[in-house]
């Protein structure tokens, strides 16, 4: 199966020609007038300088006996629909296998999408023959083409590894599949004054209650969306988080300063089951939170790029700056390992503020000499 895709390369509209390695097919592609090899995509392409190019290329490939899936004409098709019956069945059973591993719905959906695209890329090659070389070619091409982040790249490799365990008859050796190291980027953190400015700039009570709870309790956005009213214990000043990340329950503190806003919000909006609900009831959406958070950020004139998770990062960092121990913060955040929590030691300012810059020391020394 040859896949034709429309791309922009070096400022020009091109048709990328993707296929699993086949010497005869490679020769056929190179014989087509105007084909050029791209190191970026690790594939051949032709300039789309006229509508006839795509038609001529398809005719050339079909004449040589190679089936073509044409996505270059702008007609979007579901990848699953063009999979062979064997691959559709394998994908369906793979998802059932992931369900059996008790992975989250989100992980199953993500892994299923990655494996579906991989099966489509290798269409025409028997599943038993697919090996690490096919994986390498696919990963190199797809990561460059879709500009995957390190996190998405790692998820892609994890998905293919799970598929190799599920389908041991294939020739993929999961132990030798290279996976990029995790990014070591420090989290974006707001100062305590920026948190105050952000909340003051959020005029809608419902939106302010959401942002206030995200920060004051360090909740993940998914945990907030699943938080039910029955799990808020005002008298004991605590929240019960059910089935958090890693399928763990935990208790976290409910800030005393947040309680008046919480009571006003509940009385005004009267949510029925969840802490925050959509216009028609039921859970609220994460995308809506991101949108009004960005509006509040702009009104507060905060230049940093922030997300709901930034409020969680800020909560943990401010706890550390206020003298709370790593072990307690780990418990409040629901981290499985203390190493995850330790990242906040790199952004907390408590110890850094005690360090004197040599510039300050020199200026102070000059000032003292000037007074003499």
């Amino acid at each position: 199966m040859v896949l034709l895709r429309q791309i922009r390369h070096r400022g020009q509209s091109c048709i990328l020609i993707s296929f699993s390695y086949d010497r005869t097919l490679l020769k056929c592609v190179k014989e087509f007038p105007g084909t050029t090899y791209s190191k970026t995509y690790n594939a051949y392409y032709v300039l789309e300088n006229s509508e006839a190019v795509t038609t001529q290329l398809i005719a050339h490939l079909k004449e040589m006996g190679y089936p073509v899936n044409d996505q270059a004409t702008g007609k979007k098709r579901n990848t699953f629909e063009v999979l062979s019956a064997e691959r559709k069945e394998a994908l369906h059973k793979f998802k059932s296998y992931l369900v059996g591993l008790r992975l989250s719905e989100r992980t199953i959906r993500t892994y299923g999408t990655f494996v579906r695209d991989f099966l489509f890329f290798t269409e025409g090659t028997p599943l038993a023959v697919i090996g690490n070389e096919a994986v390498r070619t696919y990963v190199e091409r797809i990561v460059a083409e879709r500009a995957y982040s390190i996190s998405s790249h790692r998820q892609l490799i994890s998905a293919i590894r799970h598929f190799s365990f599920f389908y041991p008859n294939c020739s993929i050796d999961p132990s030798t599949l290279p996976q990029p190291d995790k990014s070591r980027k420090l989290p974006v953190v707001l100062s305590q004054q920026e948190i105050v400015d952000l909340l003051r700039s959020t005029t809608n009570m419902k939106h302010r209650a959401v942002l206030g709870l995200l920060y004051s309790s360090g909740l993940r956005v998914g945990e907030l969306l699943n938080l039910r009213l029955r799990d808020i214990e005002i008298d004991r000043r605590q929240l019960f988080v059910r089935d958090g990340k890693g399928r763990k329950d935990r208790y976290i503190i409910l800030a005393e300063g947040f309680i008046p806003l919480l009571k006003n919000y509940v009385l005004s909006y009267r949510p029925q089951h969840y802490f925050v609900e959509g216009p028609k009831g039921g859970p609220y959406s994460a995308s809506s939170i991101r949108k009004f958070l960005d509006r509040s950020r702009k009104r507060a004139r905060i230049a940093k790029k922030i997300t709901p998770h930034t409020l969680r990062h800020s909560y943990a960092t401010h706890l550390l700056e206020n003298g709370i121990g790593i072990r307690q913060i780990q418990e409040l955040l629901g981290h499985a390992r203390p190493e995850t929590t330790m990242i906040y030691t790199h952004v907390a300012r408590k110890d850094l503020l005690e360090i004197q810059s040599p510039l300050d020391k020199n200026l102070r020394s000059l000032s003292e000499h000037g007074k003499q």
Side-chain angles (χ1 to χ4, degrees):
M1 173 71 73
V2 181
L3 173 63
L4 304 182
R5 281 172 286 188
Q6 198 173 43
I7 62 168
R8 294 288 298 179
H9 185 52
R10 295 180 177 176
Q12 295 179 298
S13 179
C14 306
I15 299 172
L16 191 70
I17 310 169
S18 304
F19 55 89
S20 298
Y21 180 76
D22 180 289
R23 184 177 297 178
T24 307
L25 175 54
L26 178 60
K27 181 180 178 182
C28 172
V29 169
K30 293 167 88 173
E31 288 175 350
F32 186 77
T35 53
T36 307
Y37 181 73
S38 166
K39 287 185 178 180
T40 302
Y41 291 99
N42 190 25
Y44 284 86
Y45 69 92
V46 292
L47 293 178
E48 193 183 25
N49 46 25
S50 71
E51 293 182 4
V53 170
T54 307
T55 305
Q56 292 169 2
L57 179 57
I58 294 173
H60 173 72
L61 293 168
K62 288 186 175 180
E63 184 179 348
M64 301 300 291
Y66 294 102
V68 177
N69 179 262
D70 173 27
Q71 293 187 352
T73 58
K75 297 178 180 178
K76 294 185 178 180
R77 285 188 280 180
N78 189 324
T79 308
F80 181 77
E81 294 176 358
V82 297
L83 288 178
S84 65
E86 178 193 24
R87 276 167 159 71
K88 284 182 179 179
E89 183 180 6
L91 181 61
H92 178 71
K93 290 182 177 179
F94 173 63
K95 290 181 178 179
S96 297
Y97 165 78
L98 297 179
V99 172
L101 294 179
R102 301 188 70 85
L103 300 183
S104 68
E105 290 184 13
R106 183 176 179 179
T107 301
I108 293 172
R109 186 166 58 250
T110 300
Y111 284 5
T113 299
F114 281 135
V115 169
R116 182 197 67 198
D117 289 348
F118 176 63
L119 292 177
F120 174 65
F121 179 80
T122 56
E123 187 72 77
T125 303
L127 290 176
V129 180
I130 296 176
N132 286 38
E133 184 61 24
V135 175
R136 183 191 65 79
T137 304
Y138 172 71
V139 170
E140 288 178 355
R141 190 168 301 172
I142 208 70
V143 167
E145 184 177 319
R146 299 183 183 177
Y148 277 161
S149 63
I150 293 293
S151 176
S152 296
H153 190 166
R154 288 175 59 84
Q155 283 185 313
L156 168 59
I157 298 299
S158 295
I160 295 178
R161 281 179 177 168
H162 273 83
F163 180 76
S164 67
F165 291 132
F166 156 73
Y167 199 89
N169 292 333
C170 69
S171 302
I172 300 174
D173 180 2
S175 64
T176 60
L177 289 180
Q179 189 175 44
D181 294 333
K182 285 184 177 180
S183 298
R184 300 298 177 183
K185 294 181 180 179
L186 294 177
V188 175
V189 171
L190 299 179
S191 69
Q192 298 192 37
Q193 183 58 52
E194 285 175 324
I195 290 291
V196 172
D197 293 342
L198 183 72
L199 293 177
R200 282 176 176 171
S201 300
T202 308
T203 54
N204 181 287
M205 184 188 296
K206 180 177 181 178
H207 297 170
R208 183 183 292 182
V210 169
L211 299 185
L213 189 58
L214 282 173
Y215 170 70
S216 64
S217 297
L219 289 171
R220 299 178 178 94
V221 67
E223 293 170 344
L224 179 135
L225 294 175
N226 293 325
L227 182 67
R228 293 178 180 270
L229 292 173
R230 68 176 187 230
D231 295 326
I232 302 175
E233 302 179 24
I234 294 179
D235 294 338
R236 299 184 64 186
R237 288 186 48 232
Q238 65 182 21
L239 303 175
F240 182 51
V241 179
R242 299 178 186 272
D243 200 22
K245 189 174 182 179
R247 296 192 295 274
K248 292 186 298 184
D249 296 343
R250 73 181 191 279
Y251 279 102
I252 53 178
I253 58 173
L254 180 63
E256 188 172 351
F258 176 71
I259 292 177
L261 174 60
L262 171 63
K263 290 181 176 179
N264 286 338
Y265 157 69
V266 172
L267 286 173
S268 300
Y269 285 85
R270 299 190 179 279
Q272 298 300 306
H273 303 288
Y274 294 93
F275 165 71
V276 59
E277 298 178 338
K280 298 181 180 179
Y284 205 59
S285 71
S287 61
S288 296
I289 295 179
R290 294 188 187 96
K291 288 177 182 177
F292 69 67
L293 171 60
D294 193 56
R295 290 197 297 268
S296 295
R297 176 193 67 81
K298 291 176 181 176
R299 283 196 294 266
R301 297 184 179 180
I302 297 173
K304 300 171 184 175
K305 183 178 180 181
I306 61 176
T307 67
H309 213 71
T310 303
L311 301 180
R312 176 176 163 88
H313 290 319
S314 303
Y315 165 80
T317 303
H318 296 163
L319 284 179
L320 192 60
E321 290 175 345
N322 292 337
I324 307 300
I326 286 290
R327 184 67 186 87
Q328 292 170 291
I329 297 174
Q330 177 191 350
E331 194 73 25
L332 290 169
L333 294 178
H335 286 162
R337 299 179 301 148
E339 292 81 4
T340 307
T341 315
M342 288 294 290
I343 192 173
Y344 298 111
T345 61
H346 298 288
V347 291
R349 299 178 65 242
K350 182 180 180 182
D351 295 333
L352 293 178
L353 290 174
E354 297 174 359
I355 299 175
Q356 186 180 34
S357 168
L359 175 62
D360 293 335
K361 186 175 181 180
N362 291 333
L363 290 176
R364 189 175 294 110
S365 177
L366 288 172
S367 177
E368 290 174 356
H369 282 300
K371 292 178 180 178
Q372 293 178 358

